[in-house]
Amino acid sequence: MVLKVFFPQCCNRADSGLLVGRWISGHDSAVVLAVVHYPFIPGQVKQYVQQMKAQSGGELSVLGSWSLPKDGQEGMESFLRDLSTIFPQERWLQINRQLGKTGFTCQVLQRDQNGKVIQRETKKKVEGGDEEEEEEEEKVIFVHYEQKKVMFSQLHPLENGVPDPKTDPPSELRQMFQSVAGSAPLFFLDRYDDGPLKSTHWQSDGREASILVELLKQASVPLCMLLGWLLSIWTWISNARVFSLFPLRFLSSKLSTCVQLSHRTEHMRTLSSAKPAAGHTHFIRKANMVVSFLVDVSLGMLLIWWLYRDDHISMLANTLVPAADHVAKELEELLQWLMGAPAGLKMNRALDQVLGRFFLYHIHLWISYIHLMSPFIEGILWYGGLSACFGLTFALSLLSDMVALLTFHIYCFYVYGARLYCLKIYGLSSLWRLFRGKKWNVLRQRVDSCSYDLDQLFIGTLLFTVLLFLLPTTALYYLVFTLLRLVVVLFQGVIHLSVDFINSFPLFAVGLRLTRSHRLAEGVKFRVLCEEPGTALHLLMEINPLKCSTVVQNYRTPTYSCYPKDSWAALIKKLFVGELIYPWRHKTTKTD
Amino acid sequence: MGPDGVPGPAVPWRKVLWECQAFPDNYVDQRFLEELRRNEGIRQYRYWAVVREAGFVGEQLSCVAIFITLWLYMEQSLLFPETLLWTSLVCALLGYGLHRALPAPVESGCEPRTRLADLQSAAIFLSFTFGFSPVLKTLTESVSTDTVYAMSAVMLLAHLVSFPYAQPSPPGSFSLNAALFASVCLASRLPGALHTFAMLTCALLVFALWPCLLQRLRGSAPSQFAGVCVGVCVAGVAGLGSQWPGGAVLLALALGSVTLLCPLLLVRLQRHKDNIQGPWDEAEIHEDLGHFGH
């Protein structure tokens, strides 16, 4: 059997005393948490241990004794052994360290049923003596750990909720982490405290900073209340009946500014809830929200500062109308080109002319609309720019919406082209079945053969021929306008992606990982400290930090995903068939 | 004596599996080949009967030739669309009268079409064709003439290949559609919208209605049917000859080989047919060999 003793590094040089810690159930290992120094009164130690046990809620006991003999403290061996009778334990660890030597020696005293003490020694068999001699040797491995890091680290993957008693008990390492983290009350005993007991363990250095934290905690309560009150007002306004009418509701679900607004509202609702965060994950999520909100607002302020400094707003407004004009002119030229013989393609002249004139008229309408709007554009931009004080994401969403509104003509062209093309494709596919004497059986979802009447065949073939010869013209218009639409969708998609990135990126968790890498642990690694033939094996336990990608994956704030719902193949198929594509987020798919 | 050369014991071999016999599993005796049968259910063709049937193929070929001849005349403006329309109308009325006069083949569960339904169909044909003819006229304007000709040729060939010669009424969907597609393509090359309309009406008569009439004729009066076939063939060759003598020669050769040479070959080759059947299992190769892998 190998006995593992987890030993805190800070206790390496502690004065002699008692080891306080716990045995890990189900495993042959012990976690040492602190060393209580001489001199002490055993009754007080027992009382202290009981008190700590009650506070931490975990198991805590005196594990054994620790001796680091200094000058003039020789001959404690027998005294330490006698201590085991004062603190009756199943096993009594007796750890010695000689000054100047790196290794410890450990003796394990085992008490059998009769209450007799059996000694087993790590290195060599016990020579004689009044104790019974054990045949087998028990090896002891010392695992040194850094108490502070282990205490604050969170071992991943996380166990959520109450552990199920039916499933396997948590692993040894997890139990060890839990026992260190759970015995926080033990570490409150300061080195400067003037109590009856003195002990060595990890001690917080920054008590002063923790006062600030306490103050912040106190201040956050009224802040949360204020926020909650404001939120309730906002919810009341947004739930008003006017907003649930059909056109407004539809519009608000399509405008990314409104979506972002509802998103932020939900964040705020989570933050302002009076309940404390339940569990580590929830806490980190909340912290992520706060940090990302703060970063967002500060970026927005930066944007505002830039926009309103040198009157950039009016510059933007003055360039916007000529830009829209320019786009319209380019489109007109494109249409003229399409109405000729584009790329040497021979298209149906009559249909080409009809479509071209239709689209030209549309552009004409659009330009007059823009010119009608032009006096108001500066004002709209001025007030719209103010929305950046809610955060950069709002400004970006507003930009996306404005792009959508300014390229409305492209959208219209795209819809007309797509509908026409879709009609042709569906008509052709069903007429092709008629052409071959088949039909689509809806009930069985397959193609069946069918005998048509003469007139059906005649009209079907006539339509088939017409559609087939007109298809290239429609397909070319569809192709050109789809490409234009894709450019707009791509632009909006990039904006949505960046907004989503700001919303959901776990800044706090990543910062934690970068600055305090031990806080998010994925596992541990051991390094051999000293392995002398005479002494026990000493290992140093170091914490493996969680991988950055895993951090991002675990702690991403759940958002309404704006990633394209379909894969690339599905998108291409949609484009080929002529179904409409949208950059809008789909509210139903909330991805965690 | 079995295939393995096992000397026959006193107990005679029986073709049963439920008895334990002193023969190897693959043993058969001399009676094995007694059950061999050759050419079971063979039909002995007579030459002139085959020629009569093959005449129908030649007749359809000639129909296509007649259509092409009419189109050639129309394209060179030798034939006015009005003339064609009036002729078509007269032909259609005559044909309809004949169709009505001939006794319909007895069909179960299918009531005969009324005159009203026929009139309705005719109205649909005429109105759609007339309405679409300007569109059809400009349809292939930008497509090159060679492409149109190639497409028409392929489609007419497809019509001939997929024509249901055994049951031409109603004409098979694909063959009729292919012929209509080809005629739309050809008609769109004509100089005017009325030309297109006349050509499409003519195509409807030749490819859709004529086979119906012919089928009824074949059912009720086989001798007249042969005469009609010969007449159509002669008309096709003569018509094509008036415009394109080389084509007429080719058509005549094709007709001769289809109606005379091919039946001759069939009857001659029938003698060499040797199809054996017997009490063995023929090896069948299944396409799905997947289940052998498991």
Side-chain angles (χ1 to χ4, degrees), chain B residues 33-49:
Chain B
L33 284 181
E34 283 173 10
E35 294 178 48
L36 176 73
R37 282 162 291 142
R38 287 173 184 278
N39 292 339
E40 202 169 58
I42 194 171
R43 280 178 64 187
Q44 286 300 330
Y45 294 116
R46 278 176 300 114
Y47 179 67
W48 286 108

Side-chain angles (χ1 to χ4, degrees), chain A residues 347-357 470 473, chain B residues 138 141:
Chain A
M347 309 208 294
N348 191 285
R349 203 171 42 81
L351 184 67
D352 204 20
Q353 292 291 327
V354 167
L355 285 178
R357 278 186 202 146
L470 292 186
T473 314
Chain B
T138 59
E141 229 172 31

Side-chain angles (χ1 to χ4, degrees), chain A residues 154-173:
Chain A
Q154 193 74 34
L155 197 62
H156 287 74
L158 291 168
E159 276 179 347
N160 290 326
V162 188
D164 195 2
K166 280 177 220 161
T167 56
D168 297 336
S171 70
E172 185 181 2
L173 201 64

